[in-house]
Amino acid sequence: MEFNLPNGVKVELVKGDITELEVDAIVNAANSYLEHGGGVAGAIVRKGGPIIQEESREWIRRYGPVPVGGVAVTSAGALKAKYVIHAVGPRCGREPVEKIKDAVANAVLKADELGLSSVALPAISTGIFGCPYREAAKLTLEAIKEVAPRLRSVRRIIVCLYTDELYKVFESIFKEIFK
C-alpha cells in the first residue's frame, strides 16, 4: 500500500524484514544505550554484523545515552542500506507514548539531513517496549505526514512491519491518515 504526498514524497506500507530492504537507511527501534540485543535491533546486528554494535558503543562513549525521541547514526555494516538510524522510542507505561512521534520525525529528518532519498522504519516501541499497536501506528503515520513537507532529499519512506497483525493495524490507520 502506498500514498503520494503533494511534495513528491511517497509513503509505503510493506510487510517484511526491514534488514532486507534496499533503501539508503533503515531505522532501528533502539534503547537509550544502543545495546542491540533483541527484536529489530538484534536482527539488524545479526545481519549487518558486529560493526553496528561497535559503532553504537563508540557513539555512546562520545555523546552519552540517546534521549527518548532522539536518534543516533551508524554505518549499516553488511546490510543493503548505507546507514542505520537508531531511534529511541518510549517504554510504554514508563514514558509518554507520544514520544513515538518524536522518534519517527527525528529519524526521517536525520535521513534528510544526511542527504538520503529513502528510509525504512519499523513499528517503533511495539515490541518489548509494549506500546499498543493502534496508538503507535497513529503516531508513526502522523509524524511522517507532518515532517514530509519539510523534506528536501527524502522521497521514499517505507514503514516495514514484520507480522500480519501489525500490518493490518497499520493498514487501517494508514487509510484514515492518508485518505
Side-chain angles (χ1 to χ4, degrees), residues 74-134:
T74 64
S75 72
L79 298 174
K80 296 173 185 175
K82 296 175 192 155
Y83 298 97
V84 177
I85 299 171
H86 305 274
V88 179
R91 293 176 187 268
C92 287
R94 288 201 273 173
E95 297 154 339
V97 70
E98 293 78 20
K99 289 285 189 177
I100 290 172
K101 205 169 184 179
D102 294 339
V104 170
N106 288 329
V108 173
L109 291 169
K110 180 54 77 174
D112 199 59
E113 181 185 311
L114 292 168
L116 308 178
S117 63
S118 58
V119 60
L121 302 108
I124 293 172
S125 288
T126 59
I128 62 168
F129 284 9
C131 292
Y133 290 177
R134 286 193 64 77

Side-chain angles (χ1 to χ4, degrees), residues 102-178:
D102 294 339
V104 170
N106 288 329
V108 173
L109 291 169
K110 180 54 77 174
D112 199 59
E113 181 185 311
L114 292 168
L116 308 178
S117 63
S118 58
V119 60
L121 302 108
I124 293 172
S125 288
T126 59
I128 62 168
F129 284 9
C131 292
Y133 290 177
R134 286 193 64 77
E135 202 165 359
K138 184 175 185 296
L139 292 164
T140 297
L141 298 171
E142 283 175 354
I144 290 168
K145 191 172 183 180
E146 287 173 17
V147 301
R150 302 189 335 224
L151 300 176
R152 296 181 317 269
S153 65
V154 171
R155 290 291 163 250
R156 183 173 173 227
I157 302 169
I158 299 170
V159 178
C160 185
L161 306 157
Y162 197 67
T163 68
D164 289 331
E165 182 183 3
L166 256 178
Y167 183 88
K168 286 175 186 167
V169 171
F170 269 74
E171 181 181 44
S172 100
I173 301 296
F174 190 95
K175 288 175 182 175
E176 287 174 27
I177 291 177
F178 297 104

